[in-house]
Coordinates of all heavy atoms in Angstrom, one line a residue:
R25 N 85.9 75.7 137.8 CA 85.0 76.4 136.8 C 84.0 75.4 136.3 O 84.3 74.3 136.0 CB 85.8 76.9 135.6 CG 85.0 77.7 134.6 CD 85.4 77.4 133.2 NE 85.5 76.0 132.9 CZ 84.4 75.3 132.6 NH1 83.2 75.8 132.5 NH2 84.6 74.0 132.4
I26 N 82.8 75.8 136.3 CA 81.7 75.0 135.8 C 80.8 75.9 134.9 O 80.9 77.1 135.0 CB 80.8 74.3 136.8 CG1 80.2 75.4 137.7 CG2 81.6 73.3 137.7 CD1 78.9 74.8 138.5
S27 N 80.0 75.2 134.1 CA 79.0 76.0 133.4 C 77.8 76.2 134.3 O 77.2 75.3 134.8 CB 78.5 75.2 132.2 OG 79.6 75.1 131.2
R29 N 74.2 77.5 135.3 CA 73.0 77.7 134.5 C 71.8 78.2 135.3 O 70.7 78.1 135.0 CB 72.6 76.3 133.8 CG 73.6 75.9 132.8 CD 73.2 74.6 132.0 NE 74.2 74.2 131.1 CZ 75.2 73.4 131.3 NH1 75.4 72.9 132.5 NH2 76.1 73.1 130.3
V106 N 76.3 64.0 129.6 CA 76.1 65.2 130.4 C 74.7 65.8 130.2 O 74.1 66.3 131.2 CB 77.2 66.3 129.9 CG1 76.9 66.9 128.6 CG2 77.4 67.3 131.0
N131 N 68.5 79.1 127.7 CA 69.7 79.7 127.1 C 69.5 81.1 126.6 O 70.3 82.0 126.7 CB 70.2 78.8 125.9 CG 71.2 77.7 126.3 OD1 72.3 78.0 126.6 ND2 70.7 76.5 126.2
F135 N 70.0 82.2 131.2 CA 69.8 81.5 132.4 C 69.7 82.5 133.6 O 70.1 82.2 134.7 CB 71.0 80.5 132.7 CG 71.2 79.4 131.7 CD1 72.3 79.4 130.9 CD2 70.2 78.4 131.5 CE1 72.4 78.4 129.9 CE2 70.4 77.4 130.6 CZ 71.5 77.4 129.8
M161 N 88.2 82.8 125.3 CA 86.9 82.5 126.1 C 87.2 81.8 127.4 O 86.6 82.2 128.4 CB 85.9 81.7 125.2 CG 85.4 82.5 124.0 SD 84.5 81.5 122.9 CE 83.2 80.8 123.9
C176 N 78.6 80.8 131.8 CA 78.2 79.6 130.9 C 78.4 80.0 129.5 O 77.8 81.0 129.0 CB 76.8 79.3 131.2 SG 76.3 77.7 130.2
M177 N 79.3 79.3 128.8 CA 79.5 79.5 127.4 C 78.2 79.1 126.7 O 77.6 78.1 127.1 CB 80.7 78.8 126.9 CG 82.0 79.3 127.6 SD 83.5 78.6 126.9 CE 84.6 79.0 128.3
Q178 N 77.8 79.8 125.7 CA 76.5 79.5 125.1 C 76.6 79.5 123.6 O 76.2 80.5 123.0 CB 75.5 80.5 125.6 CG 75.2 80.5 127.1 CD 74.0 81.3 127.3 OE1 74.1 82.6 127.4 NE2 72.8 80.7 127.4
E179 N 76.9 78.3 123.1 CA 76.9 78.3 121.6 C 75.4 78.2 121.1 O 75.2 78.3 119.9 CB 77.7 77.1 121.1 CG 78.3 77.4 119.7 CD 79.3 76.4 119.2 OE1 79.9 75.7 120.1 OE2 79.5 76.3 118.0
A180 N 74.5 78.0 122.0 CA 73.1 78.0 121.6 C 72.8 79.3 120.8 O 72.0 79.3 119.9 CB 72.2 77.9 122.8
Y201 N 80.2 84.0 116.9 CA 80.6 82.6 117.2 C 79.7 82.0 118.3 O 79.0 81.1 118.2 CB 82.0 82.4 117.5 CG 82.3 81.1 118.2 CD1 81.9 79.9 117.6 CD2 83.0 81.0 119.4 CE1 82.1 78.7 118.3 CE2 83.3 79.8 120.0 CZ 82.8 78.6 119.5 OH 83.0 77.4 120.1
C202 N 79.7 82.7 119.5 CA 79.2 82.1 120.7 C 78.8 83.2 121.7 O 79.3 84.3 121.6 CB 80.3 81.3 121.3 SG 79.9 80.1 122.6
S220 N 80.1 67.8 135.4 CA 80.4 66.9 134.3 C 81.7 66.2 134.6 O 82.5 66.6 135.3 CB 80.5 67.8 133.0 OG 81.5 68.8 133.2
R222 N 85.1 63.9 133.0 CA 86.1 64.0 131.9 C 86.8 62.6 131.7 O 86.9 61.9 132.6 CB 87.2 65.0 132.2 CG 86.8 66.5 132.4 CD 86.3 67.1 131.0 NE 86.1 68.5 131.2 CZ 84.9 69.1 131.6 NH1 83.9 68.3 132.0 NH2 84.8 70.4 131.7
Ligands
FMN11 C1 82.1 76.8 123.3 C2 81.1 76.2 124.2 C3 79.7 76.4 124.0 C4 78.8 75.9 124.9 N1 77.5 76.2 124.7 C5 76.6 75.8 125.7 C6 75.2 76.2 125.5 O1 74.8 76.8 124.5 N2 74.3 75.9 126.5 C7 74.7 75.3 127.6 O2 73.9 75.0 128.5 N3 76.0 74.9 127.8 C8 76.9 75.2 126.8 N4 78.3 74.8 127.0 C9 78.7 74.1 128.2 C10 79.1 72.7 128.0 O3 78.0 71.9 128.0 C11 80.0 72.3 129.2 O4 81.2 73.1 129.1 C12 80.3 70.9 129.3 O5 79.2 70.0 129.5 C13 81.3 70.6 130.5 O6 80.7 71.1 131.7 P1 81.4 72.2 132.6 O7 81.5 73.4 131.7 O8 80.4 72.4 133.7 O9 82.7 71.7 133.0 C14 79.2 75.2 126.1 C15 80.6 75.0 126.3 C16 81.5 75.5 125.4 C17 83.0 75.3 125.6

Side-chain angles (χ1 to χ4, degrees):
R25 183 217 52 80
I26 59 160
S27 293
R29 296 186 179 89
V106 77
N131 268 291
F135 300 113
M161 290 170 58
C176 185
M177 298 185 198
Q178 293 193 281
E179 209 171 341
Y201 162 51
C202 194
S220 57
R222 295 292 189 276

